[in-house]
Amino acid sequence: MLYELALFPDYRLSSYGGPGGTHAFQYDANDNRTRKTVSGAITHFNNASTSNQLNTLSGALSQSRSYDNNGNTTAIGAEVLTYSDANRL
């Protein structure tokens, strides 16, 4: 399988193409991914301004995320994640 990669000048992934189509990415000033386009279908990444944590995906893919006070991801969509007292998944 052959993939073609393109990078921004700061070496962040700009796009890649292969058997699954073309994927293109955009980022904000904090290097958070803000948008992904896959063969024309756009997904927006919505990050919390105070923590840079990913809150929701909207558009072609819709999904929410939740976090605990330690910053651990506790839910991705309907999937619930639990951690030990040592913050281990």
Side-chain angles (χ1 to χ4, degrees), residues 4-75:
E4 184 176 325
L5 302 175
L7 302 175
F8 287 109
D10 60 1
Y11 301 103
R12 291 178 298 173
L13 181 63
S14 168
S15 64
Y16 71 89
T22 300
H23 300 243
F25 305 95
Q26 292 179 354
Y27 303 86
D28 65 15
N30 293 323
D31 291 332
N32 296 310
R33 186 179 299 161
T34 58
R35 181 175 161 155
K36 175 177 147 184
T37 305
V38 180
S39 300
I42 299 170
T43 299
H44 297 275
F45 292 70
N46 306 298
N47 300 295
S49 61
T50 56
S51 66
N52 293 319
Q53 291 174 320
L54 178 61
N55 285 337
T56 60
L57 302 175
S58 59
L61 177 61
S62 232
Q63 187 181 79
S64 63
R65 297 199 177 207
S66 300
Y67 301 89
D68 64 17
N69 291 335
N70 294 325
N72 298 313
T73 305
T74 57

